[in-house]
Amino acid sequence: MSWGTDLWDQFENLDKHSQWGIDFLERYAKFVKERLEIEQTYAKQLRSLVKKYCPKRPKDDEPRFTSCLSFYSILNELNDYAGQREVVAEEMGHKVYGELMRYSQDLKAERKHHLQEGRKAQQYLDQCWKHMDNSKKKFERECKEAEKSQLIYERLDNDINATKSEVEKAKSQLYLRQHMAEESKNEYAAQLQNFNSEQWKHFNVAIPQIFKNLQDMDERRTVKLGEMYRSFAEVERRVIPIISKCLEGMVTAAKNVNERRDSGIVVESFKSGFEPPGDFPFEDFSQNIQRTGSDGTIGTPKTEGGKPDPKHAVSRTKNKLWLFGKKPKAPTLEDLSHLPPEQRRKKLQQRIDELNKELQKEMDQRDALNKMKDVYEKNPQMGDPGSLQPKISETICNMEKLRSEIHKNESWLAEVEGKHGSRSERRSSADVNHHAPHGRESPEGSYTDDHSQEHRSPPQPDPHEFDDEFDDDDPLPAIGHCKALYSFDGSNEGTLVMKENEVLYVIEEDKGDGWTRVRKQGGEEGYVPTSYVEITLEKNSKGS
């Protein structure tokens, strides 16, 4: 079927149909645009949802429970899923909507061109018809005038009263009209022949070709719509594998939830390391009451050694009551002694690991600066080696400070690990030995059960345990000397203020708690951090 032959007289309807086709294409383009806007809004809302529920705390404070980690994995997969919805919207915008709008503009221009050609052909045919019609009307007028002239001539020729001149004049007018009618006849015949020829060309050549072009354009529009329908679906299909992976990731995250592991993490996070409290001793207040009953009267049990020590019992139980109630608040201390032993050990280990990482960075920076300095020394034109020295010195100073911090924290960690295993023994010995008051630390760094006074910097000597030593008027002899590497403010009780490069006498070595007892030249004594001083012991005391 061809529009040019079957629809030769339907120019106006084909004009309307081609316009409807373009309008329908643009309507589908509008549908695609609204669809991609829905995808964009959906993706935006999904990303906002993920952002709302993503953790905002530092990474170190994040819970390590499998249920939380799985939820965060699901959020990540959902974020990737939102990204795929954005890809769908972007592909629809470029490959479908954008292509449809460009094609629509091309169709409008092509349709306009074909319709202009059709109108031009119709106008030319109308013009040929007018010329033919005018020549026809002229021929008709001339024939009527010739017939009229012939009647006048015949009337005058038969009239005996008419003069010869009148007859001759009528005859001449008749010949003129007949000649003009003949010319009009010839012109009309020529115009009619020309019109018939142009009309045949119009309806058999020009219009079929124009309508065929419109038909091709409309068929291409239909094919384009089919391709766009397919592209619309292909855009969605291409992201299905990735979306499936996102959904599989969510399922995998759900399978990774482990209730036993979460329970273990709770234990690891909150385990204090303390032993459960022992039995409360019976305090017999009826020792001095005179019994009047018989020997068979039920008596009260006696503790070993006679009268119990109520002061000791109260002190011991008081220190442990917080395990069953609310733990008293303790200030945050540098050595983390305000924490339970198990938590303190973990925090110290974490701090040591971080300090080691920082130390490694400083060492890498020092090595890089030294290499650069060697290059400058070999090639002076590249730079001044002396300009790097301040930075190298600063890096070395930072390294020394970090090493000092590491040593200090390692001492605290060694103390925690050394005392963690023998805590029960210390507790039982503390119940028998009452020389040292509970809740205090000795210079040897012995463990304390009172966490409200657990700060062990600096160590305080027990006045009962060392009564003989401090009652002696003679000061402790110096076993060496030391040089202060850094300044120390000595703000805590029992510490000693010292300035950088100050020389002090060593009167008691570090007992493993990170403190050394020293004496100034003026006789003032106290404890300073071992890592802050450079110690030189006398020969006779090094071997002891």
Side-chain angles (χ1 to χ4, degrees):
M1 291 183 292
S2 174
W3 290 7
T5 57
D6 298 335
L7 303 176
W8 61 272
D9 58 343
Q10 300 297 320
F11 183 85
E12 295 298 329
N13 287 330
L14 292 180
D15 182 3
K16 294 178 181 178
H17 174 75
S18 59
Q19 181 61 46
W20 172 86
I22 294 176
D23 292 342
F24 181 79
L25 184 141
E26 290 183 341
R27 184 183 179 190
Y28 177 66
K30 185 178 179 181
F31 161 77
V32 174
K33 182 181 179 182
E34 293 183 3
R35 168 63 193 278
L36 68 89
E37 288 175 350
I38 291 174
E39 291 288 348
Q40 290 173 342
T41 304
Y42 180 45
K44 183 178 179 181
Q45 290 177 347
L46 284 178
R47 290 196 182 277
S48 299
L49 181 67
V50 171
K51 184 178 180 181
K52 178 181 178 181
Y53 285 93
C54 272
K56 299 178 177 60
R57 293 178 294 178
K59 187 175 181 181
D60 294 339
D61 296 338
E62 281 305 304
R64 295 168 293 146
F65 301 108
T66 58
S67 56
C68 294
L69 297 178
S70 295
F71 176 61
Y72 298 152
S73 298
I74 290 174
L75 289 179
N76 291 332
E77 296 294 346
L78 187 60
N79 193 55
D80 295 340
Y81 176 82
Q84 294 308 306
R85 304 320 307 177
E86 290 175 346
V87 170
V88 170
E90 184 178 358
E91 292 289 323
M92 284 184 179
H94 291 300
K95 295 186 177 181
V96 183
Y97 176 73
E99 182 65 23
L100 285 172
M101 295 307 297
R102 287 190 295 270
Y103 192 72
S104 174
Q105 297 301 322
D106 295 341
L107 283 181
K108 288 180 180 179
E110 184 178 357
R111 173 180 175 275
K112 181 179 179 181
H113 173 69
H114 294 324
L115 293 179
Q116 284 179 347
E117 286 186 346
R119 291 190 178 94
K120 285 181 182 179
Q122 188 65 42
Q123 288 174 0
Y124 179 69
L125 184 63
D126 292 343
Q127 186 179 3
C128 291
W129 182 85
K130 287 180 181 179
H131 290 163
M132 184 272 295
D133 188 58
N134 290 336
S135 64
K136 176 182 177 181
K137 290 178 180 179
K138 182 180 180 182
F139 174 56
E140 184 180 4
R141 286 195 306 269
E142 292 298 332
C143 287
K144 288 180 180 181
E145 290 295 331
E147 290 175 359
K148 184 177 179 182
S149 297
Q150 185 176 2
L151 292 174
I152 293 174
Y153 171 71
E154 289 178 353
R155 182 175 57 81
L156 291 175
D157 187 44
N158 295 325
D159 190 3
I160 57 174
N161 296 322
T163 61
K164 186 178 181 180
S165 60
E166 289 178 345
V167 174
E168 289 296 330
K169 183 179 180 181
K171 184 178 180 180
S172 175
Q173 185 67 26
L174 174 61
Y175 288 156
L176 177 62
R177 289 297 179 183
Q178 288 178 345
H179 178 69
M180 291 178 66
E182 189 66 24
E183 287 183 351
S184 297
K185 179 181 179 180
N186 293 335
E187 182 181 357
Y188 168 61
Q191 290 295 335
L192 179 61
Q193 183 179 5
N194 180 65
F195 172 74
N196 290 333
S197 175
E198 293 299 329
Q199 181 176 255
W200 186 90
K201 291 179 181 178
H202 178 80
F203 289 108
N204 291 277
V205 179
I207 289 298
Q209 183 62 41
I210 293 172
F211 284 7
K212 184 178 183 301
N213 293 337
L214 286 173
Q215 182 180 2
D216 293 342
M217 182 193 74
D218 191 71
E219 290 176 353
R220 281 187 278 108
R221 175 191 64 82
T222 305
V223 172
K224 191 68 174 180
L225 277 173
E227 292 177 353
M228 292 298 100
Y229 295 160
R230 188 179 301 108
S231 298
F232 183 84
E234 288 293 333
V235 167
E236 192 82 29
R237 178 184 292 177
R238 279 194 291 270
V239 300
I240 287 178
I242 303 178
I243 290 177
S244 298
K245 290 183 179 179
C246 294
L247 297 177
E248 290 174 3
M250 294 182 185
V251 173
T252 303
K255 292 179 180 178
N256 289 335
V257 175
N258 189 321
E259 69 279 5
R260 302 299 300 173
R261 188 179 304 171
D262 285 1
S263 297
I265 292 174
V266 174
V267 173
E268 181 181 352
S269 301
F270 302 112
K271 182 179 179 182
S272 66
F274 290 118
E275 295 290 337
D279 294 337
F280 283 80
F282 179 79
E283 301 179 29
D284 189 0
F285 300 101
S286 62
Q287 293 289 336
N288 297 325
I289 299 177
Q290 184 177 4
R291 289 185 175 85
T292 58
S294 61
D295 295 340
T297 303
I298 300 175
T300 57
K302 297 182 180 181
T303 59
E304 182 180 355
K307 185 178 180 179
D309 187 356
K311 180 179 179 181
H312 169 65
V314 172
S315 174
R316 186 183 176 198
T317 56
K318 182 179 179 181
N319 293 334
K320 286 299 180 181
L321 284 178
W322 65 265
L323 289 173
F324 300 95
K326 185 176 180 181
K327 182 177 178 179
K329 293 184 178 180
T332 302
L333 304 175
E334 182 185 7
D335 61 352
L336 304 177
S337 57
H338 61 286
L339 296 175
E342 186 69 19
Q343 302 300 321
R344 182 186 180 194
R345 181 185 64 80
K346 293 178 182 177
K347 292 290 185 181
L348 286 173
Q349 186 62 54
Q350 181 180 358
R351 184 190 291 176
I352 291 172
D353 294 340
E354 293 174 355
L355 290 172
N356 282 323
K357 291 180 181 178
E358 294 180 10
L359 178 60
Q360 185 61 42
K361 289 181 181 179
E362 294 292 338
M363 293 173 65
D364 294 340
Q365 183 177 3
R366 179 202 60 186
D367 295 340
L369 290 172
N370 287 331
K371 290 180 181 179
M372 189 179 297
K373 181 179 179 182
D374 294 340
V375 173
Y376 286 175
E377 289 175 351
K378 294 178 182 178
N379 302 287
Q381 68 275 10
M382 296 182 66
D384 181 17
S387 62
L388 300 175
Q389 191 58 42
K391 187 65 178 178
I392 294 175
S393 301
E394 180 183 355
T395 304
I396 294 175
C397 182
N398 292 338
M399 290 169 55
E400 291 300 326
K401 290 181 180 179
L402 288 172
R403 287 195 180 100
S404 174
E405 288 293 322
I406 292 172
H407 177 72
K408 181 167 58 176
N409 283 274
E410 285 178 346
S411 300
W412 293 334
L413 179 62
E415 175 193 355
V416 174
E417 292 177 344
K419 291 172 173 49
H420 183 69
S422 58
R423 189 181 302 112
S424 58
E425 297 178 3
R426 284 193 297 272
R427 182 179 293 116
S428 61
S429 63
D431 291 339
V432 177
N433 184 11
H434 302 288
H435 291 294
H438 290 276
R440 302 295 297 172
E441 267 192 39
S442 65
E444 288 80 13
S446 59
Y447 181 78
T448 176
D449 288 333
D450 189 355
H451 288 273
S452 63
Q453 300 178 5
E454 196 178 7
H455 188 358
R456 43 178 295 284
S457 301
Q460 299 296 327
D462 191 325
H464 298 285
E465 186 174 356
F466 300 102
D467 283 341
D468 295 339
E469 180 181 349
F470 284 93
D471 289 341
D472 193 354
D473 295 333
D474 296 332
L476 292 175
I479 60 175
H481 63 277
C482 63
K483 180 181 179 182
L485 300 175
Y486 313 103
S487 298
F488 181 64
D489 54 7
S491 57
N492 294 331
E493 182 183 358
T495 59
L496 187 65
V497 180
M498 68 177 179
K499 298 181 180 179
E500 187 176 357
N501 296 325
E502 184 177 0
V503 178
L504 307 167
Y505 294 111
V506 178
I507 60 177
E508 185 178 324
E509 290 188 74
D510 187 352
K511 300 295 185 180
D513 56 1
W515 296 89
T516 299
R517 189 175 177 187
V518 298
R519 181 194 301 127
K520 286 191 174 184
Q521 294 182 359
E524 186 179 358
E525 296 181 1
Y527 289 92
V528 296
T530 306
S531 58
Y532 278 44
V533 294
E534 182 180 0
I535 300 175
T536 303
L537 298 177
E538 301 295 338
K539 292 183 179 180
N540 57 355
S541 63
K542 286 183 180 180
S544 59

